[in-house]
Amino acid sequence: MKHLLFIGTLNQPTSYFEGANGDGLSVHLFDDETLTAERLASAPQIVNPTFLSPTPDGSLVYANSEIEGWYEGLVTALSFDRRAARLDHLNMQPSLGATTAHNAISRDGRHLFVVNYAMGAGGPDQALVAFERRADGSLAPGRISAAQSGTGPNAARQERSHPHSVTEMAPNLLLVADLGTDRLTVYSLEDEQLEKISVTATRPGAGPRHVALHPSGRFVFVINELDSTVASYRIGVGGKSLEEIAVYPTVPDQAAAANHASDLQISPDGRFLYGANRGHDSIAAFAVDAETGRLSPMGQVLCGGRTPRNLAIAPQGGHLLCANQDSDVVSIFARDAEAGSLVDTGKSIRIGTPMCLRFARA
């Protein structure tokens, strides 16, 4: 089985990343059987696409540009012509905030949701922005947005609000994980306006980063960057509140001080979670109880490189890919669908400073 694999790589140096050896955005044809990735097209003009979202059919992709020192990042819409093997620029919009971190296409396809991590002060400083998607796939200017503020107990990392991801829990019901304030904020998007519905505090100093939604829609799981944990939450009636169930470490206690957890992915059947650990350079696995939302830790496997920033599970569920940012390699793991275990295949994709991996139909 073959799939499109979109890869975002760092191509402009920043003071807070180790290297920038990439060439922007590229599209590959990934073969599930041979574990090879044939490069089809690239867009080196896209600066630092640290996160991206393709449409399910791979005909469009939206790339964030994280540019140090700018008051606003950029969001670029591109079309991908499979037959011609070409990425074409549609348009670009300012992100209304600094250090643009994450994006997601809405379930109804009408919007692209974007969050800005933000560093320092100045500019429009919007945490969450909803961009309308036009008929041709381009983006209208961001007119729907919300700001966030606050601090956390970690003075070095939580000196201000740092929204890191946005997840659509139900149609037009959005969950924003804020690393800087230890808060999970739920917004509704109605009549082209964002309304704050609820705010759930995580454990102090946890630093919530990325979120995985259970296929049942009953639970969400949050990986916390600063204390290297995964927390499970029960979603309340109507999806408008969160109740903490339990919190689990992603690394052994002795490794936590030097570790910063990053991405979190859930298997297609919702039975297993996988979290990336930068510093410990491992992938933690958890079994998911579909009735209670509780997790059973399954240990860690080495990630096949340094600084695993992003994970992606192949559409058939048989493989997990890991973007090792500081090793210029994407490691490929075989995934046992029944046991949930990961085994390094020894196969990999050599690419400079990989930051984000996303699959789409070939």
Side-chain angles (χ1 to χ4, degrees):
M1 192 75 175
K2 295 182 179 181
H3 315 282
L4 294 177
L5 175 62
F6 292 76
I7 304 181
T9 68
L10 207 73
N11 57 359
Q12 180 174 297
T14 73
S15 63
Y16 49 87
F17 291 135
E18 181 175 302
N21 304 319
D23 59 355
L25 170 63
S26 56
V27 189
H28 306 251
L29 188 63
F30 179 77
D31 191 317
D32 245 335
E33 296 182 2
T34 64
L35 303 185
T36 57
E38 174 192 358
R39 182 181 288 240
L40 301 177
S42 61
Q45 73 275 15
I46 306 300
V47 177
N48 289 357
T50 55
F51 202 88
L52 49 90
S53 291
T55 54
D57 65 358
S59 64
L60 297 161
V61 61
Y62 300 93
N64 289 355
S65 286
E66 182 177 329
I67 306 171
E68 186 176 16
W70 286 25
Y71 287 127
E72 298 181 73
L74 299 170
V75 184
T76 303
L78 302 102
S79 63
F80 175 61
D81 186 325
R82 175 73 174 86
R83 185 168 297 177
R86 188 179 70 236
L87 280 164
D88 291 319
H89 178 97
L90 294 177
N91 79 328
M92 182 183 292
Q93 295 290 357
S95 67
L96 305 187
T99 321
T100 309
H102 191 263
N103 69 41
I105 300 170
S106 66
R107 296 188 186 192
D108 61 13
R110 293 178 56 196
H111 295 92
L112 180 76
F113 304 124
V114 172
V115 291
N116 296 298
Y117 180 85
M119 297 177 72
D125 200 14
Q126 296 298 288
L128 171 64
V129 187
F131 292 90
E132 182 182 351
R133 295 178 66 222
R134 296 168 173 153
D136 66 351
S138 65
L139 297 173
R143 298 188 180 92
I144 309 166
S145 65
Q148 294 190 168
S149 62
T151 60
N154 185 327
R157 294 295 311 280
Q158 295 183 308
E159 80 292 354
R160 57 154 295 150
S161 169
H162 289 306
H164 216 303
S165 67
V166 54
T167 303
E168 192 174 15
M169 298 194 301
N172 294 318
L173 201 64
L174 312 176
L175 173 62
V176 173
D178 192 323
L179 182 149
T181 64
D182 293 323
R183 292 174 189 161
L184 304 170
T185 303
V186 177
Y187 294 89
S188 68
L189 176 60
E190 297 289 344
D191 300 323
E192 300 301 292
Q193 291 188 343
L194 289 167
E195 179 184 355
K196 188 180 293 186
I197 299 298
S198 68
V199 179
T200 302
T202 68
R203 298 191 178 191
R209 179 181 171 99
H210 279 191
V211 174
L213 175 67
H214 193 271
S216 69
R218 297 173 56 203
F219 309 107
V220 291
F221 308 97
V222 179
I223 194 161
N224 296 305
E225 176 176 334
L226 301 184
D227 70 358
S228 296
T229 62
V230 171
S232 58
Y233 294 86
R234 184 176 294 104
I235 301 174
V237 176
K240 296 180 179 180
S241 64
L242 302 178
E243 176 189 352
E244 183 185 292
I245 299 169
V247 180
Y248 308 84
T250 64
V251 293
D253 290 346
Q254 63 271 24
N259 189 68
H260 295 87
S262 56
D263 197 23
L264 187 67
Q265 296 292 324
I266 192 164
S267 61
D269 59 8
R271 297 176 57 207
F272 299 99
L273 275 174
Y274 303 94
N277 291 304
R278 297 170 298 177
H280 194 247
D281 290 338
S282 66
I283 302 170
F286 302 86
V288 180
D289 187 317
E291 294 302 317
T292 66
R294 291 187 173 274
L295 306 179
S296 296
M298 298 167 55
Q300 301 87 16
V301 296
L302 295 178
C303 68
R306 289 194 302 120
T307 321
R309 180 179 178 87
N310 197 242
L311 306 173
I313 298 175
Q316 302 300 111
H319 294 93
L320 180 144
L321 276 60
C322 177
N324 294 302
Q325 176 182 334
D326 294 327
S327 294
D328 297 337
V329 67
V330 175
S331 301
I332 303 173
F333 293 83
R335 194 185 77 87
D336 187 312
E338 287 303 313
S341 56
L342 299 176
V343 176
D344 193 336
T345 64
K347 299 289 186 71
S348 62
I349 303 167
R350 302 298 308 187
I351 189 167
T353 321
M355 305 292 281
C356 185
L357 308 169
R358 285 295 176 269
F359 281 105
R361 293 194 302 270

